[in-house]
Amino acid sequence: TPSAGDVTLQVASFSARSNADRALGMLRGAGIAAARLLDGNAANGQKIWRLRVGPLQADAAPELAARIVGLGFGQPQRVRD
């Protein structure tokens, strides 16, 4: 169960589900089990998939973000679910 100090990191968003699935596989293959996809709509109404990790304890977020960057992704952003 998430607690008040927990954070979620958004790694990326994709307009193609196949790209989102591939990126999710990369994170899970690297042992980041809390990675998941959320579907939604962009401001223009286009379907998108958000790749997120969490919720996780806030003190674990910087190290995990560094691991994600090391896998070739950009710097993840903290988001609210």
Side-chain angles (χ1 to χ4, degrees):
T1 1
S3 74
D6 288 351
V7 298
T8 298
L9 299 177
Q10 180 160 313
V11 177
S13 61
F14 301 89
S15 57
R17 176 67 192 244
S18 59
N19 292 339
D21 286 337
R22 193 167 25 260
L24 177 63
M26 284 179 62
L27 291 183
R28 290 208 174 138
I32 302 172
R36 59 196 163 88
L37 289 175
L38 297 173
D39 60 345
N41 294 305
N44 63 2
Q46 180 182 3
K47 184 86 164 169
I48 59 169
W49 288 268
R50 295 178 182 95
L51 178 57
R52 293 187 174 177
V53 177
L56 52 119
Q57 293 181 347
D59 59 354
E63 181 183 335
L64 186 56
R67 283 183 61 204
I68 291 168
V69 169
L71 291 170
F73 293 95
Q75 181 68 38
Q77 301 299 309
R78 289 183 179 205
V79 295
R80 294 185 190 275
D81 270 334

